Amino acid sequence: MKHPIVIAIDGTSASGKSTNAKLVAKALGFVHVDTGAMYRTLAWYCLQQYVNPEDPKAVAATCRRWKASLANVDGHVHLLVDGKDPGNELRTSEVSAATSHIAVVPKVRDWMKQKQRECIQFGSLVMEGRDIGTNVFPETDYKFYLDAHIEERTKRRAAEGVNENLAARDQRDSQRAAAPLMIALGAKVINNSTLTSAETSGLILAEVRRRLEASRNAGRDGVMR
Ligand code: DC
C-alpha cells in the first residue's frame, strides 16, 4: 500500500480491543499501537519520580520534560523512557489506578495525541484506545467501537486475575471533560459478548476490506495525508 491507512479501534475496558487490534494488525501486516500502554508509561514514570498522579500541574510538568521516544519493536509501537521499555511494570494495579488520573489532564492528552499521530512514520497502523476515531485520527475512514456486556467484561478481567470495578472505569472514561470515550461518527459498533476473538477480528477485517473497496470505487484511496 503506497500511502498508510489507520484503523482506529476504540471501546470500553475489557471489550477485546488489544486482542483484536493485534489479530487485525497481524493479518494485514500493519503496525499495532496500544495507546493505553502509552498513558500507562507516563503514569509509571510519575510513580518512579515520586510525582503525585492526582496533581495535574505536577503531571503536566513531568510530561513536558520527560525523555520519551517511540520505537517499533517487531510491529508493535512502544514508548521508551530514557531509552528503557517498562514492559510488564505497566500492568500493575498501582499503575492502572495512577493512569486513570493522569489520563484526564488536558496537557497530557495533547502530548499523547501528537505522539500517537507521529506513529504514522512506521506505516499503516491499527491503533487501539478510547479516543482514536474521535480525536487522534478523526479523518480515518476505518473506525470501530468494541463493547460487551458488563458481566462478560468483568469475567474476562477476572480470568486475567484482575478484579476491577469496570462500571466505575466506564463512567470515568466516558464522563471526563477531555476526549471522553464516545462512539465516533461512522464507526462500526461490534458487541462481542457472544463472539470469539477470531469472529470479532474477522468482522473487523471484512469491514475494512469493504470500506477500502468502496473508497477505491468512489475514486478515493482512503489513505492518510
Ligand atoms: O486500555 P488500558 O486499560 O490499558 O488503558 C489505561 C488507561 O488509559 C485507562 O484508564 C483509559 C486510559 N486511556 C485513555 O484515556 N485514552 C486512550 N486512548 C487509551 C487509554
Side-chain angles (χ1 to χ4, degrees):
M1 206 167 288
K2 211 158 144 219
H3 297 286
I5 72 166
V6 174
I7 300 174
I9 303 184
D10 291 306
T12 50
S13 296
S15 60
K17 293 186 299 293
S18 280
T19 306
N20 289 293
K22 285 179 195 157
L23 286 170
V24 170
K26 194 163 178 213
L28 297 172
F30 286 12
V31 172
H32 166 242
V33 190
D34 174 358
T35 60
M38 295 174 72
Y39 284 94
R40 284 172 182 272
T41 303
L42 178 61
W44 170 84
Y45 184 70
C46 286
L47 295 174
Q48 292 279 310
Q49 299 290 308
Y50 302 103
V51 171
N52 179 0
E54 296 187 49
D55 177 346
K57 276 201 178 129
V59 169
T62 306
C63 187
R64 232 181 359 255
R65 64 161 200 267
W66 71 331
K67 301 259 180 305
S69 55
L70 295 168
N72 177 359
V73 184
D74 298 330
H76 301 272
V77 171
H78 291 231
L79 197 53
L80 309 182
V81 192
D82 297 323
K84 181 185 175 264
D85 181 359
N88 283 340
E89 290 176 34
L90 299 182
R91 303 289 151 191
T92 64
S93 50
E94 207 188 358
V95 169
S96 296
T99 309
S100 54
H101 293 292
I102 66 103
V104 301
V105 178
K107 286 259 166 11
V108 167
R109 299 209 74 87
D110 291 347
W111 189 96
M112 291 288 170
K113 175 176 175 177
Q114 193 187 323
K115 273 283 173 243
Q116 287 156 12
R117 288 191 65 91
E118 285 173 18
C119 290
I120 202 84
Q121 67 186 282
F122 300 120
S124 290
L125 306 173
V126 181
M127 185 173 282
E128 52 160 306
R130 304 291 192 290
D131 64 337
I132 311 308
T134 51
N135 183 48
V136 180
F137 281 107
E139 69 272 43
T140 185
D141 287 334
Y142 308 94
K143 299 179 188 180
F144 295 87
Y145 185 94
L146 300 190
D147 202 359
H149 297 137
I150 186 119
E151 296 82 9
E152 173 59 26
R153 293 189 288 121
T154 304
K155 242 195 280 170
R156 290 177 190 170
R157 273 288 184 266
E160 293 167 358
V162 182
N163 286 311
E164 208 184 344
N165 185 340
L166 288 178
R169 183 112 97 94
D170 290 349
Q171 196 174 20
R172 273 201 307 275
D173 283 344
S174 49
Q175 292 190 353
R176 66 170 171 238
L181 172 66
M182 281 191 305
I183 301 175
L185 205 65
K188 180 174 173 70
V189 179
I190 300 175
N191 186 314
N192 58 27
S193 304
T194 61
L195 301 180
T196 64
S197 44
E199 288 167 332
T200 304
S201 60
L203 286 176
I204 296 173
L205 284 165
E207 183 66 14
V208 167
R209 291 188 176 116
R210 196 187 66 73
R211 290 187 184 196
L212 260 173
E213 188 62 28
S215 298
R216 275 193 208 111
N217 291 342
R220 295 185 298 125
D221 50 11
V223 301
M224 314 305 297
R225 304 275 175 217

